[in-house]
Every structure is written in C-alpha cells, then in structure tokens.
Amino acid sequence: MTRIAAVHGVLPPHRHPQRALTDMVARHCLPAGADRRVLDRLHRGARVGARHTVLPLDRYGELDGFGAANDAFIAGAVELGAEAVTGALREAGLSPRDVDLLIFTSVTGIATPSVDARLVGRLGLRPDVRRLPVFGLGCAAGAAGIARLHDYLLGRPDDVAVLLSVELCSLTFQRAGTSPAQMVATALFGDGAAAVVACGARRGAPAGGPTVVAGRSRLYPDTERLLGWDIGGSGFRVVLDPAVPEVVRKNLGDEVDGLLADHGLHRRDVTAWVSHAGGPKVLDAVAEALDLPEDALAVSRRSLAQVGNLSSSSVLHVLRDTLATAPPPGTAGVLLAMGPGFCTELVLLRW
C-alpha cells in the first residue's frame, strides 16, 4: 500500500489576532461609512482566534485589482510552496531528485507556468518529474490529492509522489464585500500551505506514517451553487450557501459507512477522524452526521481556532497534527473534506 512518509505544514510570517483582521476587512472591504456590526458579529462567532496572512495588513489596501492580487499570489505561493516541499522531503529522508510526481493544488490564484513548474528548478527536482497542477477542487483538494497520489502509486509502486497545497485566501477578500457570504469568508479563511510525501509499496518509507487503503469521491447533483467562486474583474467572489452544513448532515454518514463497509469496517473501528476545519457549523454538521463523541474532532477545532480555514491546506495541517498524537498502530482513520461541486472526498487510512 501507499505509505505517507511525511506531512509538513507552513504558514506565512504575518500572524494576527482575529480582531486585527476584522479591522482590516472593515477598512478595505466595506464601503466608507458602512455599518460594521454584522461583520463584527460574524467574526466573533467564527471561533477563530488568529490567522496568518501572506502580506502585512497595511499592504492589502495597495492591491488595486485582480492582477495585483494574483501577482502577490504567485510570489507567495512559490515561497511557501518551496518551504513546504523542502520540509516534507527532509522529514521523509528523501531528496528532491527522488520525486517522480508533483501534484500542485490551489483555488486562490492562477499561474502559467504553474507554481509546480516554477518550483522544479528552484528545488532541484528532476527535469523529467511528472507534474499535475489542479484548480477548482477548493477545500476538498487536500483529501482528493492524497487519493490521487495513492492512485498513481498503485501503478508505480517504486515511485515517490508529492502533493503540494498553497492557499492564500486573504488575497481573495473583496472590496465592497458586504454580502453575508463575503463577510463569513473574511471571518474564517486564512493563508497557509502544506506538502505530503507518499511512497509506493516497493519504495520503502519511514515507519510510523499511515498507509492509504482507499479513497472515495462523491459529487451531489444540482449543488453547483452551494460553494465556489464567481470570477469577475475584481477576482474571486465567494459563493457560500448557508445550506452547506445541512447537505453534510444528510449525506456524509452514508458516504463514510459505504467506504468503511467496503473494507469490513464500522465507525467504531475508526480511532482518528481527520476532518477539514471548514468552520464551526461545518464541523458541528460532521460530528452530527457521524454521531461522533465530543472530542473526536478536537484536532480540527483546534486548527480552526489557531489558523482559521486554510481551504485545501486545512485537512493536511489537521493530518500533520493527528500524526503527532500517534493513533494506535493497526487501527483505521478516515480523512475527509468537502468542496465545490458540491462534493465530498474521503480517504481511508491505516495507522
């Protein structure tokens, strides 16, 4: 089976308490003279204590359009991406030239050449490394990316594959963003990156990391407007329907039970739930859908409080923190994330 050899998360250097970010959003995103009471209430209710941003807060007022924000994305993504991949390979005891596949995912900026291409020479990856840039999976891409690493390594068991996620959500905050969805997004989302190194069955990897048993994907019909972007001259405007938690409540239990049943398992066999830290309402919906005990999502709730929702990087930070707690060897884990489509992505792990 595919073994996860290392997970390395990184954060930009600028860390701010939630109140400082609320004030920044009020200055740069609300119209002059606008009543900020709704913004204040939503930011207080997000259960986020602090977040990181790729730029100092006073730089956001200088971003005069999508082009400037996207240029900042490219520069920041290359820097954070290089740090994440370098750290993950170091922890796995591997060199850049060992990498056979690099998957890059983000939903907060675009680049051609893609960020992964810009990293090949900088990191010393081989010129023949296979690359797969992915855009559009949003928060689900961390889980989907691990599943795609596994799919690749099943066919190439001697190989090493790396997933890199970089999400710079602060660069998508919209000026004049007074819709409830915009204000919720500015309350929850932070900036960060993560890299996962996985080794095929014949490659060998450090002991201790989990193996990937299988993945499961589900796309729900007629849910395209629940979550995503509207893309216009000002860049990415968030689409975030309040019905998302209810869709999770109605569907997630059956999806998880189906994945577990395929491998002769039940929910009671799972010792680690590695959930994307989507927000307090989404985490509550996950807990209700799966009938989880109070502390089952503690790692995800702590990640949300400490760094906010990092989109596709979020579940990878939660996975890194879960690995530090050393779940019992031989037991099962479920990694899960939801994203635009509306979709769920599940990965069954064995510790």
Side-chain angles (χ1 to χ4, degrees):
M1 293 182 185
T2 300
R3 182 172 293 278
I4 294 177
V7 183
H8 188 75
V10 298
L11 298 162
H14 309 291
R15 179 173 172 83
H16 318 281
Q18 180 79 331
R19 183 65 188 185
L21 286 159
T22 308
D23 291 342
M24 183 272 279
V25 171
R27 286 195 306 272
H28 300 308
C29 300
L30 296 185
D35 187 340
R36 57 177 283 178
R37 285 178 292 181
V38 173
L39 177 73
D40 289 336
R41 177 174 57 81
L42 290 172
H43 276 235
R44 285 195 303 269
R47 302 183 198 171
V48 175
R51 284 176 282 167
H52 293 249
T53 60
V54 69
L55 300 177
L57 292 187
D58 58 7
R59 287 278 311 281
Y60 286 86
E62 302 172 8
L63 300 176
D64 58 0
F66 180 42
N70 199 66
D71 287 345
F73 168 81
I74 294 171
V78 170
E79 290 297 323
L80 283 179
E83 183 181 351
V85 172
T86 299
L89 289 173
R90 181 175 59 248
E91 291 173 15
L94 297 169
S95 78
R97 297 193 68 81
D98 290 320
V99 178
D100 300 292
L101 171 71
L102 173 61
I103 298 177
F104 171 73
T105 188
S106 181
V107 76
T108 52
I110 54 177
T112 304
S114 53
V115 170
D116 47 285
R118 296 166 192 251
L119 289 173
V120 171
R122 174 169 175 156
L123 297 181
L125 301 172
R126 300 195 318 266
D128 66 343
V129 65
R130 292 173 172 84
R131 298 182 296 107
L132 183 62
V134 176
F135 181 89
L137 280 169
C139 299
I146 289 178
R148 299 296 82 77
L149 293 184
H150 176 59
D151 293 341
Y152 170 84
L153 291 170
L154 285 177
R156 294 179 176 273
D158 296 305
D159 281 10
V160 172
V162 173
L163 168 67
L164 170 63
S165 159
V166 182
E167 301 288 13
L168 305 181
C169 304
S170 66
L171 296 173
T172 70
F173 295 169
Q174 295 285 303
R175 298 191 182 191
T178 56
S179 71
Q182 297 288 328
M183 287 191 281
V184 169
T186 65
L188 288 173
F189 287 95
D191 296 349
V196 178
V197 177
C199 297
R202 293 203 300 256
R203 175 73 193 202
T211 56
V212 179
V213 179
R216 184 182 181 99
S217 304
R218 181 67 66 196
L219 187 66
Y220 303 106
D222 304 318
T223 59
E224 291 89 348
R225 294 297 298 173
L226 284 185
L227 183 64
W229 296 127
D230 284 332
I231 303 174
S234 62
F236 301 126
R237 297 183 65 87
V238 70
V239 175
L240 181 59
D241 194 296
V244 165
E246 186 57 30
V247 174
V248 173
R249 285 189 188 90
K250 288 182 178 179
N251 294 285
L252 184 61
D254 288 343
E255 300 299 342
V256 169
D257 288 343
L259 174 66
L260 293 173
D262 287 345
H263 298 275
L265 298 169
H266 303 274
R267 293 184 203 174
R268 63 177 177 271
D269 300 313
V270 177
T271 60
W273 296 94
V274 185
S275 175
H276 163 60
K281 292 183 179 180
V282 170
L283 286 172
D284 289 347
V286 170
E288 292 174 29
L290 300 176
D291 193 24
L292 297 179
E294 180 67 26
D295 63 346
L297 300 180
V299 178
S300 298
R301 294 188 191 277
R302 184 166 61 249
S303 182
L304 178 66
Q306 292 175 346
V307 299
N309 179 347
L310 304 179
S311 190
S312 67
S313 300
S314 174
V315 75
L316 305 181
H317 278 246
V318 175
L319 175 60
R320 177 204 60 191
D321 295 344
T322 301
L323 292 175
T325 67
T331 61
V334 172
L335 183 145
L336 61 98
M338 291 71 69
F342 184 76
C343 69
T344 57
E345 291 285 343
L346 308 176
V347 179
L348 180 61
L349 303 172
R350 179 75 66 181
W351 303 106

